[in-house]
Amino acid sequence: MPQARWADKRSALYDLEALACYELGLMHKACEFAKEATERSPEDSRLSHNYALIRARLP
């Protein structure tokens, strides 16, 4: 991400953390990270979509 701004890199880190937690079955943590990623890059529809999918999996 050489041209990425700091906010883009931060949202990418939260996105990766959300994905890792999701794969580990830690849905509440995954949701927290996905929410943070979405808030940092609200224009990224993929992040919003992932956040919605994770929220739907919460008990």
Side-chain angles (χ1 to χ4, degrees):
M1 289 194 259
Q3 270 94 27
R5 298 179 324 249
W6 177 242
D8 296 333
K9 291 179 183 181
R10 278 299 268 269
S11 67
L13 291 174
Y14 283 105
D15 182 37
L16 289 174
E17 290 176 303
L19 293 171
C21 288
Y22 181 87
E23 289 297 322
L24 291 170
L26 304 170
M27 292 303 154
H28 287 285
K29 268 308 215 191
C31 191
E32 290 175 26
F33 287 126
K35 179 182 180 199
E36 188 68 32
T38 301
E39 288 174 353
R40 290 182 182 272
S41 291
E43 70 287 344
D44 189 328
S45 61
R46 186 187 62 78
L47 294 177
S48 299
H49 181 71
N50 286 353
Y51 180 40
L53 288 175
I54 293 169
R55 279 192 324 237
R57 296 274 323 260
L58 289 177

